Amino acid sequence: MRGAVIHAPGDVRFETLDDPKILRPTDAIIRTAVTCVCGSDLWPWRGLDATDQAHPMGHEYVGFVEEVGAEVTSVRPGQFVVGSFATSDNTCANCRNGFQSNCLNREFMSTCQADYVRIPNAQGTLVATDEVPGEEFWPGLLAVSDVMGTGWYAAEAAEVKPGSTAVVVGDGAVGLCAVIAAKEMGAERIIAMSRHESRQKLAREFGATDIVAERGEEGVARIKEMTGGIGADAVLECVGTAQAMQQALRSARPGGNVGFVGVPHDVAVDGQELFFSHVGLRGGPAPVRRYLPDLIDRVLTGRIDPGRVFDLTLPLEQVAEGYQAMDERRAIKTLLTP
């Protein structure tokens, strides 16, 4: 088969790889319908995560089941399935508590920018649709496997409630999906922090009521000005940088909450400042599996359309251009077709 392999910062190649095989009775093999490049893939691309040796890339996927291990009964060959970037058995204590992304048998997916993918813990990870959905739904379902599920967790972790004011820090695919989530959870006012016109436009179409282009302390001051000097009820941090986290924490009102889902890089939280702010903080890898049935239904019924975050579609063989376009902000998110 063919797939993407990163060799060094800025060096992703499309190569011939070994076909995946069933290694454990809990595995499944899927044929990729569509996959994509994630914003978090840019960390190694930019050299901010080390690449010690060449390795495959990609953690978002939807596709058709080709083969299942002996212990997999929840899906069968031929079905169209959606999974999560973090696999889970969906039976351990952490899974039963709703945090499947911290499953005791968790494995993070990392080989999905390819024609075929081995899915560990397939029994608890994969969710099959009732029928094979039309191709027009594939981008939205692909978004559900990570960025939409992650945006949903950001809103849940920040405790967005009906009638509340929510601030979204970050205008990448996760941030834009977080706008969708905040709207679905009933936020009355959704302030998207964005400096890019095309992303501002999509944020408004997804439900943002206001746009703030300022960053850092200027951005915090603007949020305070817009909220009577108090701050927002809920802040959704969808970037992962030190500046974004500080901006999020300082934009929340006393008693408000920050949900952080951007993978942290050089982020340090001042314990004294957090203590006296009365701001709640929760985050981590999103438990996408918990949300899959609901989000799949919302996509297939047309209630949400997170697939619109894909503004560049390329054949899988041009995966390197997909990385380049996102790195240069010529694309929000790149869809890859095998």
Side-chain angles (χ1 to χ4, degrees), residues 19-201:
D19 291 340
K21 295 180 174 18
I22 298 288
L23 301 180
R24 300 176 189 148
T26 50
D27 290 346
I29 305 296
I30 68 165
R31 173 171 54 86
T32 307
V34 284
T35 183
C36 59
V37 180
C38 183
S40 60
D41 293 332
L42 297 181
W43 294 111
W45 169 267
R46 292 169 173 162
L48 297 172
D49 283 349
T51 301
D52 298 324
Q53 60 183 12
H55 58 84
M57 289 291 288
H59 54 264
E60 297 158 284
Y61 58 96
V62 294
F64 298 89
V65 178
E66 290 281 305
E67 184 182 358
V68 297
E71 295 180 14
V72 177
T73 59
S74 59
V75 297
R76 62 182 184 277
Q79 286 186 304
F80 187 94
V81 291
V82 183
S84 165
F85 64 87
T87 74
S88 56
D89 57 31
N90 214 24
T91 60
C92 78
N94 290 343
C95 289
R96 294 196 305 273
N97 285 329
F99 285 86
Q100 290 93 334
S101 52
N102 227 312
C103 175
L104 296 176
N105 293 302
R106 175 186 68 189
E107 293 187 40
F108 286 113
M109 297 300 300
S110 61
T111 63
C112 298
Q113 291 164 5
D115 292 324
Y116 294 88
V117 184
R118 181 180 73 89
I119 312 295
N121 297 312
Q123 177 81 5
T125 300
L126 298 176
V127 175
T129 56
D130 292 336
E131 301 173 343
V132 175
E135 292 188 20
E136 69 273 17
F137 292 108
W138 292 5
L141 295 172
L142 179 61
V144 164
S145 78
D146 183 358
V147 291
M148 186 63 239
T150 297
W152 197 269
Y153 178 55
E156 182 183 81
E159 298 187 16
V160 174
K161 294 180 172 62
S164 63
T165 294
V167 169
V168 177
V169 179
D171 63 0
V174 172
L176 291 167
C177 287
V179 171
I180 295 175
K183 181 181 180 184
E184 288 292 293
M185 293 185 188
E188 183 175 321
R189 192 177 192 187
I190 302 171
I191 304 169
M193 305 194 83
S194 170
R195 302 174 73 177
H196 304 90
E197 186 176 347
S198 63
R199 300 179 186 214
Q200 293 172 355
K201 181 176 183 292

